[in-house]
């Protein structure tokens, strides 16, 4: 089975374990099986609105194993970045959750309530209560010379009702008003993945996520194996067109696939073969012998396209034809 090649799983949360308050079908059960095969587990989240204690409690309520010690979030990472860049007791304008404010205070920094206090820094993290006035204060402070840190820049976030704007969308509003970009603490930077692997003493971790531009890019930057699971933001078509640095090693339908053998993908002549599916790129068009609903067909198509375009820096939208 696939998971036997690894000693730890570094799993995203939104879109992998849950969407909003509810579990992704089968995810808690799959995560619960990891300990039985000797695989450690950590959660890597860009959501800066909740503390590790609250996140771990939510995960346990859904039926998956979790403790605060194995939740690694962007709020703490962002506060650490601030503490490295500004003197102790400096004032910081926090645009985000109460927990993010607690993280800032815990690093020996002071809270500013508005840009009028000339804060040394602004830290911005996701919170559903953030409003226009908060974004305006952040813009005023950044325009006044404050250092700007974003916990993460996810443009969207999976919620129970579907995909909603994420922290990156709000960061973009401030960026438009200031003409600047923030230092980013969370994914896709490799820091959270590296810290988690060190604490688990893992030498062969597998990063699992639903987003190419954060989870997979971050895991690749950390030098770890990556797997995208199709239960959240990205689908098989977007994986196919991913830039080279966002391409995962594995394409999974659900977390249950960790406990199955991953199909061998091999080259046969000018074709890529995966299971009963075959794919080839001819004149820039991907021809697949296989069903559109068969994940092996997409695995073959991805490998064929990626072999033909090994260093593509931009997202592509190749034409693809399926035939039985």
């Amino acid at each position: 089975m696939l998971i036997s090649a690894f000693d730890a799983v570094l799993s995203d949360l939104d879109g992998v374990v849950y969407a909003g308050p509810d579990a992704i079908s089968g995810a808690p059960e799959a995560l619960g099986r990891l300990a039985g095969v000797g695989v450690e587990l950590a959660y890597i989240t860009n959501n800066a609105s909740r503390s590790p204690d609250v996140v771990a409690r939510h995960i346990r309520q859904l039926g998956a194993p979790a403790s605060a010690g194995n939740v690694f979030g962007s709020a703490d990472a962002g506060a650490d970045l601030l503490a490295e860049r500004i003197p102790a007791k400096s004032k910081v304008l926090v645009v985000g959750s109460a927990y993010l404010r607690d993280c800032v205070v815990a690093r020996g920094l002071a809270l500013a309530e508005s840009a009028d206090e000339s804060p040394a820094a602004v830290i911005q993290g996701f919170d559903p209560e953030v409003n226009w006035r908060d974004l305006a204060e952040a813009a005023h402070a950044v325009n006044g010379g404050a250092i700007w840190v974003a916990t993460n820049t996810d443009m969207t976030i999976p919620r129970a009702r579907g995909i909603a704007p994420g922290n990156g969308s709000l960061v973009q509003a401030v960026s438009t008003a200031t003409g600047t970009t923030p230092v980013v603490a969370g994914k896709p930077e490799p820091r959270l993945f590296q810290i988690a692997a060190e604490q688990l003493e893992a030498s062969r971790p597998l990063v699992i996520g639903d987003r190419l531009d954060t989870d997979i890019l971050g895991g690749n930057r950390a030098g770890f194996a990556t797997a995208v699971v199709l239960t959240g933001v990205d689908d098989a078509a977007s994986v196919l067109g991913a830039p080279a640095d966002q391409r995962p090693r594995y394409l999974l339908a659900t977390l249950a696939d960790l406990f199955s053998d991953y199909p061998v993908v091999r080259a046969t002549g000018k074709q890529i073969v995966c299971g009963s599916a075959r794919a080839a790129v001819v004149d820039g068009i991907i021809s697949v012998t296989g069903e559109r609903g068969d994940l092996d067909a997409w695995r073959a198509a991805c490998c064929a396209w990626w072999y033909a375009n090994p260093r593509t820096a931009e997202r592509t939208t190749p034409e693809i034809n399926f035939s039985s």
Side-chain angles (χ1 to χ4, degrees):
M1 57 185 175
L2 173 61
I3 195 59
S4 63
F6 303 98
D7 60 0
V9 163
L10 309 182
S11 177
D12 179 46
L13 287 171
D14 288 305
V16 176
V17 181
Y18 51 66
D22 302 318
I24 300 291
S25 179
E29 293 79 6
L31 295 170
R33 294 176 63 185
L34 292 174
V37 293
V39 175
E40 298 289 339
L41 174 60
Y43 300 101
I44 315 296
T45 177
N46 264 353
N47 191 329
S49 64
R50 302 187 297 172
S51 72
D53 282 326
V54 172
V55 171
R57 190 181 315 125
H58 179 198
I59 296 169
R60 291 195 300 271
Q61 288 171 346
L62 298 178
S67 66
N70 68 346
V71 175
F72 298 84
S74 64
D76 284 282
D80 286 340
L81 276 182
L82 280 183
E84 293 169 2
R85 284 166 168 74
I86 59 177
K89 300 182 181 179
S90 297
K91 286 193 173 183
V92 178
L93 179 66
V94 177
V95 178
S97 67
Y99 178 67
L100 185 57
R101 292 168 68 91
D102 291 342
C103 289
V104 169
V105 172
R107 271 72 178 179
L109 301 170
L111 298 177
E113 298 303 324
S114 80
D116 294 338
E117 298 179 45
S118 300
V122 174
I123 186 167
Q124 184 173 355
F126 178 77
D127 186 83
E129 302 302 318
V130 168
N131 58 37
W132 178 89
R133 190 177 301 277
D134 298 319
L135 300 180
E137 288 299 321
H140 296 325
V142 172
N143 280 329
I147 293 172
W148 182 23
V149 170
T151 60
N152 65 294
T153 52
D154 301 47
M155 297 303 292
T156 59
I157 185 170
R159 310 301 282 175
R161 296 171 60 194
I163 302 300
N167 193 53
S169 297
L170 304 180
V171 166
Q172 191 173 67
V174 177
S175 183
T176 300
T178 62
T180 62
T181 56
V183 177
V184 180
K187 300 176 286 187
E189 300 307 314
R191 179 173 183 148
L192 284 175
F193 298 107
Q194 293 165 340
I195 292 172
E198 288 171 6
Q199 291 203 19
L200 295 180
E201 298 183 347
S203 59
R204 294 174 288 111
L206 175 64
V207 172
I208 302 177
D210 69 310
R211 297 185 65 106
L212 300 174
D213 60 350
T214 56
D215 305 318
I216 304 308
L217 177 57
N220 288 342
R221 285 176 172 175
F224 301 152
T226 55
V228 69
V229 63
L230 303 180
T231 53
V233 171
D234 278 299
D235 58 16
S238 63
V239 174
L240 173 68
D245 58 0
Q246 297 181 24
R247 293 169 180 171
R249 184 180 300 182
Y250 303 104
L251 178 58
L252 310 179
T254 70
L255 289 179
D257 287 351
L258 291 172
F259 300 92
S260 300
D261 291 332
Y262 197 81
V264 175
V265 182
R266 66 187 189 278
T268 302
K270 294 184 178 181
Q271 290 188 323
I272 300 296
V273 178
C274 182
S276 61
R278 295 172 177 265
V281 177
V282 180
D283 296 328
I285 299 173
I286 308 171
S287 296
V288 181
T289 303
E291 300 292 336
R292 181 179 289 273
D294 179 11
L295 195 56
D296 282 348
W298 285 101
R299 288 165 173 152
C302 286
C303 286
W305 183 250
W306 297 347
Y307 286 153
N309 301 273
R311 290 177 293 276
T312 304
E314 303 295 330
R315 173 164 295 281
T316 57
T317 53
E319 181 178 344
I320 179 169
N321 298 320
F322 291 88
S323 62
S324 300

